[in-house]
Amino acid sequence: MSYKACLFDLDGVLVDTAIYHFQAWKMLGENFNYQLTEEQNEQLKGVSRVESLNRILDWASYSATDEQKEAWLKEKNDNYLHLISNMNPSEILPGVVDFLGQIKAEGYKIALGSASKNAEIILEKTGLMPWFDLIIDGNKVSKSKPDPEVFLKGAEGLGFSPAECIVFEDAQAGVEAAINGGMKVIGIGEASVLSDANKVIPNFIGIKSADLLLF
């Protein structure tokens, strides 16, 4: 198969903003005296802000009104934006820039497929924006992973079929979204966690695209 495009998740694949999400959610939990754990935070990876709040409220056994939820979603995002306001290129994960350079030189189109509504801010602050031909983020989709909408829109926007695209994901929900969209998927992280991915690598350090993108 001749692949034409690479679609990347953002958090945990290109940059690590998980700590900022964790801190912002923990700050929000103070509103209803709940302490979010690191293990629970792992279950929020790749999940939309609305769904994340619903999960936290379920864990806390707290019943919130729609008005409270709306206010808290804004509060969480405001906290998160404050926390990421000082992000810079040093927070790009190791090996990422070298890998992006390889696939760009080889003619692959590059798109972002992220649930984050702040993806463009993060790409700008870290200097990653110029690598991308297309950005599909939480502002452009209505369905959360594992629904494949974000990746299908990425493929469509680049002008390729799903079968011509390879997805890079660090979360199980994202891996499932890629599979549901009919795409090959490379997991970034632990094989035991991302067992459904076609391939799994721990990170991009020393990775050669010519070897990785062969299926």
Side-chain angles (χ1 to χ4, degrees):
M1 178 69 196
S2 178
Y3 297 99
K4 305 291 180 60
C6 295
L7 281 63
F8 292 84
D9 179 43
L10 178 63
D11 298 342
V13 175
L14 303 174
V15 297
D16 189 3
T17 58
I19 184 61
Y20 301 123
H21 284 295
F22 184 37
Q23 290 172 358
W25 282 124
K26 283 185 71 176
M27 292 164 68
L28 184 76
E30 294 173 3
N31 287 294
F32 41 95
N33 298 314
Y34 186 71
Q35 281 286 333
L36 184 70
T37 68
E38 291 186 21
E39 291 75 20
Q40 289 169 332
N41 189 58
E42 287 294 310
Q43 298 179 49
L44 303 181
K45 285 186 175 181
V47 177
S48 72
R49 197 183 309 159
V50 172
E51 177 60 22
S52 292
L53 177 58
N54 287 333
R55 290 188 185 188
I56 292 170
L57 291 171
D58 282 344
W59 292 329
S61 299
Y62 190 92
S63 180
T65 66
D66 288 342
E67 290 77 13
Q68 283 177 313
K69 288 182 180 181
E70 186 174 344
W72 286 343
L73 288 170
K74 182 181 185 304
E75 179 182 335
K76 187 271 177 178
N77 194 51
D78 288 345
N79 290 338
Y80 178 69
L81 288 174
H82 175 72
L83 290 166
I84 67 171
S85 63
N86 293 317
M87 286 189 75
N88 59 68
S90 72
E91 296 185 71
I92 300 171
L93 290 171
V96 165
V97 171
D98 180 63
F99 186 77
L100 291 173
Q102 290 182 57
I103 60 176
K104 180 70 80 172
E106 290 161 7
Y108 288 93
K109 292 295 184 181
I110 303 174
L112 189 81
S114 170
S116 172
K117 292 190 175 183
N118 302 303
E120 292 196 13
I121 296 172
I122 294 169
L123 292 178
E124 290 286 1
K125 287 192 169 292
T126 56
L128 286 172
M129 185 66 85
W131 292 108
F132 288 86
D133 300 294
L134 179 70
I135 307 296
I136 303 294
D137 61 14
N139 298 300
K140 298 175 182 176
V141 296
S142 60
K143 301 172 184 175
S144 298
K145 301 171 185 175
D147 189 282
E149 181 187 20
V150 68
F151 295 134
L152 292 176
K153 282 195 171 184
E156 181 182 12
L158 292 175
F160 300 120
S161 69
E164 294 175 300
C165 300
I166 298 175
V167 169
F168 293 83
E169 263 287 355
D170 75 314
Q172 180 59 28
V175 169
E176 292 177 22
I179 294 170
N180 291 339
M183 302 177 190
K184 295 288 187 183
V185 56
I186 295 173
I188 312 298
E190 299 180 14
S192 59
V193 177
L194 306 173
S195 58
D196 292 333
N198 298 100
K199 294 181 181 180
V200 179
I201 57 174
N203 51 56
F204 287 102
I205 297 174
I207 295 296
K208 300 301 180 187
S209 60
D211 299 327
L212 186 64
L213 303 182
L214 289 176
F215 286 94

